[in-house]
Coordinates of all heavy atoms in Angstrom, one line a residue:
A1 N -17.3 241.6 180.2 CA -17.3 241.3 181.6 C -16.3 240.2 181.9 O -16.2 239.2 181.1 CB -18.7 240.8 182.0
S2 N -15.6 240.3 183.0 CA -14.6 239.3 183.4 C -14.5 239.5 184.9 O -15.1 240.3 185.5 CB -13.3 239.5 182.7 OG -12.6 240.7 183.2
V3 N -13.7 238.6 185.5 CA -13.4 238.7 186.9 C -12.8 240.1 187.2 O -13.1 240.8 188.2 CB -12.5 237.6 187.4 CG1 -12.1 237.8 188.8 CG2 -13.2 236.3 187.2
A4 N -11.8 240.5 186.4 CA -11.1 241.8 186.6 C -12.0 243.0 186.2 O -11.8 244.1 186.7 CB -9.8 241.8 185.8
M5 N -12.9 242.9 185.2 CA -13.7 244.0 184.7 C -15.2 243.6 184.9 O -15.7 242.9 184.1 CB -13.4 244.2 183.3 CG -12.0 244.6 183.0 SD -11.7 244.7 181.2 CE -12.5 246.2 180.8
H6 N -15.8 244.1 186.0 CA -17.2 243.7 186.3 C -18.2 244.5 185.4 O -18.9 245.3 185.9 CB -17.4 244.0 187.8 CG -16.5 243.2 188.7 ND1 -16.6 241.9 188.9 CD2 -15.5 243.7 189.4 CE1 -15.7 241.5 189.7 NE2 -15.0 242.5 190.0
G7 N -18.1 244.3 184.2 CA -19.0 244.9 183.2 C -18.5 246.3 182.9 O -18.4 247.2 183.7
S8 N -18.0 246.4 181.6 CA -17.4 247.6 181.1 C -17.8 247.7 179.7 O -18.1 246.7 179.0 CB -15.9 247.5 181.3 OG -15.2 248.7 180.8
L9 N -17.7 248.9 179.1 CA -17.9 249.1 177.7 C -16.6 248.8 176.9 O -15.5 249.0 177.4 CB -18.3 250.6 177.5 CG -19.7 251.0 178.0 CD1 -19.9 252.5 177.8 CD2 -20.8 250.1 177.5
C10 N -16.8 248.5 175.7 CA -15.7 248.3 174.8 C -16.2 248.6 173.4 O -17.4 248.8 173.2 CB -15.2 246.9 174.8 SG -16.2 245.6 174.1
R11 N -15.3 248.7 172.4 CA -15.7 248.9 171.0 C -15.0 247.8 170.2 O -13.8 247.6 170.3 CB -15.1 250.3 170.5 CG -15.5 250.5 169.1 CD -15.3 252.0 168.7 NE -16.1 252.9 169.4 CZ -17.4 253.2 169.2 NH1 -18.0 252.5 168.3 NH2 -18.0 254.0 169.9
V12 N -15.9 247.2 169.4 CA -15.4 246.1 168.5 C -14.9 246.8 167.2 O -15.7 247.6 166.6 CB -16.5 245.1 168.2 CG1 -16.0 244.1 167.2 CG2 -17.0 244.4 169.5
T13 N -13.7 246.6 166.8 CA -13.1 247.3 165.7 C -12.9 246.4 164.5 O -12.6 246.8 163.4 CB -11.8 248.1 166.0 OG1 -10.9 247.1 166.5 CG2 -12.1 249.1 167.0
D14 N -13.0 245.1 164.7 CA -12.7 244.1 163.7 C -13.5 242.8 164.1 O -13.5 242.4 165.3 CB -11.2 243.8 163.7 CG -10.8 243.0 162.5 OD1 -10.7 243.5 161.4 OD2 -10.5 241.8 162.7
L15 N -14.2 242.2 163.2 CA -15.1 241.1 163.5 C -15.1 240.0 162.5 O -15.1 240.3 161.3 CB -16.5 241.7 163.7 CG -17.6 240.7 164.1 CD1 -17.4 240.2 165.6 CD2 -19.0 241.3 164.0
S16 N -15.1 238.8 162.9 CA -15.3 237.6 162.1 C -16.2 236.7 162.8 O -16.5 237.0 164.0 CB -13.9 236.9 161.7 OG -13.5 236.1 162.8
I17 N -16.6 235.6 162.2 CA -17.4 234.7 162.9 C -16.7 234.0 164.0 O -17.3 233.4 165.0 CB -18.1 233.6 162.0 CG1 -17.0 232.8 161.3 CG2 -19.0 234.3 161.0 CD1 -17.6 231.6 160.5
H18 N -15.3 234.0 164.0 CA -14.5 233.3 165.0 C -14.0 234.2 166.1 O -13.5 233.7 167.1 CB -13.4 232.5 164.3 CG -13.8 231.4 163.4 ND1 -14.3 230.3 163.9 CD2 -13.9 231.4 162.1 CE1 -14.7 229.5 162.9 NE2 -14.4 230.1 161.7
G19 N -14.0 235.5 165.9 CA -13.4 236.4 166.9 C -13.5 237.8 166.6 O -14.2 238.2 165.6
A20 N -12.9 238.6 167.4 CA -13.0 240.1 167.3 C -11.7 240.8 167.8 O -11.0 240.2 168.7 CB -14.2 240.6 168.0
R21 N -11.5 242.0 167.4 CA -10.5 242.9 168.0 C -11.4 243.9 168.7 O -12.3 244.5 168.2 CB -9.7 243.6 166.9 CG -8.7 244.5 167.6 CD -7.9 245.3 166.6 NE -7.8 244.7 165.3 CZ -6.9 245.1 164.4 NH1 -6.0 246.0 164.7 NH2 -6.8 244.5 163.2
I22 N -11.0 244.2 170.0 CA -11.7 245.1 170.8 C -10.8 246.2 171.4 O -9.6 245.9 171.6 CB -12.5 244.4 171.9 CG1 -11.6 243.6 172.9 CG2 -13.6 243.5 171.3 CD1 -12.3 243.1 174.1
Q23 N -11.4 247.3 171.6 CA -10.7 248.4 172.4 C -11.4 248.5 173.7 O -12.7 248.5 173.8 CB -10.8 249.7 171.6 CG -10.1 249.8 170.3 CD -10.3 251.1 169.6 OE1 -11.2 251.8 169.8 NE2 -9.3 251.4 168.7
T24 N -10.7 248.5 174.8 CA -11.2 248.5 176.1 C -10.7 249.7 177.0 O -9.8 250.4 176.5 CB -10.9 247.2 176.9 OG1 -9.5 247.1 177.1 CG2 -11.3 246.0 176.1
Y25 N -11.3 249.9 178.1 CA -10.9 250.9 179.0 C -10.0 250.3 180.1 O -9.5 251.0 181.0 CB -12.1 251.6 179.7 CG -12.9 252.4 178.6 CD1 -14.0 251.8 178.1 CD2 -12.4 253.6 178.2 CE1 -14.8 252.5 177.2 CE2 -13.1 254.3 177.3 CZ -14.3 253.8 176.7 OH -15.0 254.4 175.8
G26 N -9.7 249.0 180.0 CA -8.8 248.4 181.0 C -8.0 247.3 180.3 O -8.4 246.8 179.2
D27 N -6.8 247.0 180.9 CA -6.0 246.0 180.2 C -6.6 244.6 180.4 O -7.1 244.3 181.5 CB -4.6 246.0 180.9 CG -3.7 247.1 180.3 OD1 -3.9 247.5 179.1 OD2 -2.8 247.6 181.0
L28 N -6.5 243.8 179.4 CA -6.9 242.4 179.5 C -5.6 241.5 179.3 O -4.7 241.9 178.6 CB -7.9 242.1 178.4 CG -9.2 242.8 178.5 CD1 -10.1 242.6 177.2 CD2 -10.0 242.3 179.7
R29 N -5.6 240.4 180.0 CA -4.4 239.6 180.0 C -4.6 238.4 178.9 O -5.6 237.8 178.9 CB -4.1 239.0 181.4 CG -2.8 238.4 181.5 CD -2.5 238.0 183.0 NE -3.2 236.7 183.2 CZ -4.2 236.5 184.0 NH1 -4.7 237.5 184.7 NH2 -4.8 235.4 184.2
A30 N -3.6 238.2 178.1 CA -3.7 237.1 177.1 C -3.9 235.8 177.9 O -3.3 235.6 178.9 CB -2.4 237.1 176.3
G31 N -4.8 235.0 177.4 CA -5.1 233.7 178.0 C -6.3 233.8 179.0 O -6.8 232.8 179.3
S32 N -6.7 235.0 179.3 CA -7.9 235.1 180.2 C -9.2 235.0 179.4 O -9.1 235.1 178.1 CB -7.9 236.5 180.9 OG -7.9 237.6 180.1
S33 N -10.3 234.8 180.1 CA -11.6 234.7 179.4 C -12.5 235.8 179.8 O -12.4 236.3 180.9 CB -12.3 233.4 179.8 OG -11.5 232.3 179.3
I34 N -13.3 236.3 178.8 CA -14.3 237.3 179.1 C -15.6 236.9 178.4 O -15.6 236.0 177.5 CB -13.8 238.7 178.5 CG1 -13.7 238.6 177.0 CG2 -12.6 239.2 179.2 CD1 -13.5 240.0 176.3
V35 N -16.6 237.6 178.8 CA -17.9 237.5 178.1 C -18.1 238.8 177.3 O -18.0 239.9 177.8 CB -19.1 237.3 179.0 CG1 -20.4 237.3 178.3 CG2 -18.9 236.0 179.8
L36 N -18.2 238.6 176.0 CA -18.5 239.8 175.1 C -19.9 239.9 174.8 O -20.5 238.9 174.3 CB -17.6 239.6 173.8 CG -17.6 240.8 172.8 CD1 -17.0 242.1 173.5 CD2 -16.9 240.4 171.6
A37 N -20.6 241.0 175.2 CA -22.0 241.2 174.9 C -22.1 242.2 173.7 O -21.8 243.3 173.8 CB -22.6 241.9 176.2
L38 N -22.6 241.6 172.6 CA -22.8 242.3 171.4 C -24.2 242.8 171.2 O -25.1 242.2 171.9 CB -22.4 241.4 170.2 CG -20.9 241.0 170.2 CD1 -20.7 239.8 169.4 CD2 -20.0 242.1 169.7
P39 N -24.5 243.7 170.4 CA -25.9 244.2 170.1 C -26.7 243.0 169.7 O -26.2 242.0 169.1 CB -25.7 245.2 169.0 CG -24.3 245.7 169.1 CD -23.5 244.5 169.6
G40 N -28.0 243.1 169.9 CA -29.0 242.1 169.5 C -29.0 240.9 170.5 O -29.3 239.8 170.1
D41 N -28.5 241.2 171.7 CA -28.5 240.2 172.8 C -27.6 239.0 172.4 O -27.9 237.8 172.7 CB -29.9 239.7 173.1 CG -30.0 239.2 174.5 OD1 -29.2 239.6 175.4 OD2 -30.9 238.3 174.8
I42 N -26.5 239.2 171.7 CA -25.6 238.2 171.3 C -24.5 238.2 172.3 O -23.8 239.2 172.5 CB -25.0 238.4 169.9 CG1 -26.2 238.4 168.8 CG2 -24.0 237.4 169.5 CD1 -25.8 238.9 167.5
R43 N -24.2 237.1 173.0 CA -23.2 237.0 174.0 C -22.3 235.8 173.6 O -22.7 234.8 173.2 CB -23.8 236.8 175.4 CG -24.6 237.9 175.8 CD -25.0 237.7 177.3 NE -26.0 238.7 177.8 CZ -25.9 240.0 177.8 NH1 -24.8 240.6 177.3 NH2 -26.9 240.7 178.2
R44 N -21.0 236.0 173.8 CA -20.0 235.0 173.5 C -18.9 235.0 174.6 O -18.4 236.0 175.0 CB -19.3 235.2 172.2 CG -20.1 234.9 171.0 CD -20.5 233.4 170.9 NE -21.2 233.0 169.8 CZ -22.5 233.1 169.6 NH1 -23.2 233.7 170.5 NH2 -23.1 232.7 168.5
L45 N -18.7 233.7 175.1 CA -17.5 233.5 176.0 C -16.3 233.6 175.0 O -16.3 232.9 174.0 CB -17.6 232.2 176.7 CG -16.5 231.9 177.6 CD1 -16.4 232.9 178.8 CD2 -16.6 230.5 178.2
T46 N -15.3 234.3 175.4 CA -14.1 234.5 174.5 C -12.8 234.3 175.3 O -12.8 234.5 176.5 CB -14.1 235.9 173.8 OG1 -13.8 236.9 174.8 CG2 -15.4 236.2 173.1
R47 N -11.8 233.9 174.6 CA -10.5 233.8 175.1 C -9.6 234.9 174.5 O -9.6 235.1 173.3 CB -9.8 232.5 174.8 CG -8.5 232.2 175.4 CD -7.9 230.9 175.1 NE -7.8 230.6 173.7 CZ -6.8 231.0 172.9 NH1 -5.8 231.7 173.4 NH2 -6.8 230.7 171.6
I48 N -8.9 235.7 175.4 CA -8.0 236.7 174.9 C -6.8 236.1 174.3 O -6.0 235.4 175.0 CB -7.7 237.7 176.0 CG1 -8.9 238.3 176.6 CG2 -6.7 238.8 175.5 CD1 -9.8 239.1 175.7

């Protein structure tokens, strides 16, 4: 979820404790922030 993407699905393809690589259905801009909602009710504010 972000200002540009009001809740959308994505797929995490690479994961570490510090970040992730995601595939989305919309373009994200480097430097923007999103909320990534992971399974198990895990949410993280992230910077692209």
Side-chain angles (χ1 to χ4, degrees):
S2 71
V3 173
M5 299 173 75
H6 302 286
S8 180
L9 294 177
C10 72
R11 179 166 301 280
V12 178
T13 59
D14 190 73
L15 183 68
S16 79
I17 62 170
H18 295 287
R21 179 187 335 198
I22 60 174
Q23 294 175 338
T24 65
Y25 294 100
D27 279 331
L28 296 170
R29 196 175 77 246
S32 64
S33 293
I34 62 168
V35 174
L36 186 62
L38 296 160
D41 204 29
I42 300 169
R43 298 191 190 297
R44 286 295 183 277
L45 181 61
T46 69
R47 182 178 58 82
I48 303 301

